[in-house]
Amino acid sequence: MAKKENLKNFSVLSSMVRVPPAIELLLSSPMVKINGFLAAGHVCTVIGYEEYIPISEKYRIPIVVTGFKPFDLLYGIYLCVKMLESGKIEVQNGYKRSVKEEGNLEAKKIIDKVYDIVDRKWRGIGLIPQGGFAIKKEFEEFDAEKKFNLKSIKRKEKTKCISGLVLQGIKKPDECALFGKECTPENPKGATMVSSEGACHAFYLYKGYEKEKK
């Protein structure tokens, strides 16, 4: 629409990432010991879960699409554990009220029209091949990264932060020297504390709750 209306005061900073390449990168590492994945329902509502099927088959790992309500998460865990115990490995849809295997075809057409798949750096992990989206050249006049030369801005990650290892399931949040001291939800130092969905953020909140209960 911005292109059609020839807007001059509109910019988009795209930091969109792609989950399947990140999962495959994790599974290809000999250090990572993951038994199963819960695929985020809001992502799969758009992209579907077709891309997860070859990953599940290649690495022999169960993947379950889930929603975010407590029931959805428990159901997703149940389906995942059930597959692990039975030895049946596949992608199962535990969020059928929102997700179809092919996803939202109209939304995917718009994504294909506006974005190219590119290599993308993930905080705490590094560069992931085909791990993100970038605005196509056709729409680069609205690309804030190019418009304002944002690639020139470099930010070093905290060397003591182990968010990358937490993201990979290799370390627990409280094994980090910064956790609960320099790094809190109010003053986050890494990707897994910044996000309200991050492992460190959740660990901090609910570990604190457990201590209060005791």
Side-chain angles (χ1 to χ4, degrees):
M1 289 299 294
K3 180 86 170 178
K4 186 177 179 180
E5 296 183 19
N6 195 29
L7 297 183
K8 301 298 182 185
N9 61 344
F10 176 74
S11 304
V12 175
L13 178 61
S14 176
S15 58
M16 291 175 64
V17 294
R18 300 180 65 240
V19 177
I23 288 178
E24 185 149 21
L25 183 77
L26 291 176
L27 291 174
S28 65
S29 169
M31 296 175 64
V32 175
K33 297 177 181 178
I34 296 174
N35 300 112
F37 282 95
L38 301 184
H42 65 314
V43 175
C44 292
T45 297
V46 178
I47 69 167
Y49 57 89
E50 294 170 320
E51 285 187 79
Y52 292 101
I53 295 172
I55 295 173
S56 174
E57 292 174 349
K58 180 179 178 180
Y59 295 96
R60 301 298 301 155
I61 192 160
I63 300 175
V64 181
V65 180
T66 67
F68 290 92
K69 292 182 181 294
F71 168 80
D72 292 318
L73 292 169
L74 288 171
Y75 184 54
I77 293 169
Y78 164 74
L79 291 176
C80 193
V81 171
K82 191 176 178 182
M83 279 194 280
L84 287 168
E85 290 183 340
S86 67
K88 183 180 180 180
I89 304 299
E90 61 183 9
V91 179
Q92 293 188 1
N93 184 5
Y95 195 35
K96 292 182 180 180
R97 66 182 185 275
S98 182
V99 175
K100 297 178 181 178
E101 182 175 335
E102 68 277 14
N104 184 322
L105 297 179
E106 288 302 312
K108 287 166 74 173
K109 282 181 187 176
I110 295 170
I111 291 170
D112 290 341
K113 182 177 180 179
V114 176
Y115 291 98
D116 283 326
I117 293 173
V118 297
D119 298 344
R120 172 77 71 189
K121 185 178 180 183
W122 283 46
R123 287 179 302 176
I125 294 179
L127 190 70
I128 297 182
Q130 297 190 322
F133 290 103
I135 296 171
K136 286 182 182 288
K137 187 173 178 62
E138 179 186 350
F139 301 103
E140 66 178 4
E141 62 197 279
F142 306 108
D143 189 342
E145 191 171 316
K146 293 179 179 177
K147 200 171 178 179
F148 304 109
N149 192 28
L150 299 182
K151 276 193 174 180
S152 63
I153 299 173
K154 304 292 181 184
R155 186 180 184 278
K156 290 184 179 180
E157 295 190 27
K158 298 286 182 179
T159 53
K160 290 182 182 178
C161 174
I162 63 167
S163 62
L165 297 177
V166 173
L167 279 167
Q168 297 174 65
I170 297 169
K171 294 281 187 180
K172 290 183 178 179
D174 59 356
E175 292 180 70
C176 179
L178 303 180
F179 180 79
K181 302 179 183 102
E182 293 178 52
C183 184
T184 65
E186 292 76 26
N187 185 37
K189 301 298 181 186
T192 45
M193 188 67 89
V194 169
S195 170
S196 61
E197 297 174 0
C200 290
H201 191 283
F203 204 90
Y204 182 91
L205 291 180
Y206 293 106
K207 277 291 180 182
Y209 175 76
E210 286 175 6
K211 288 174 185 175
E212 287 176 14
K213 290 284 283 186
K214 289 177 184 177

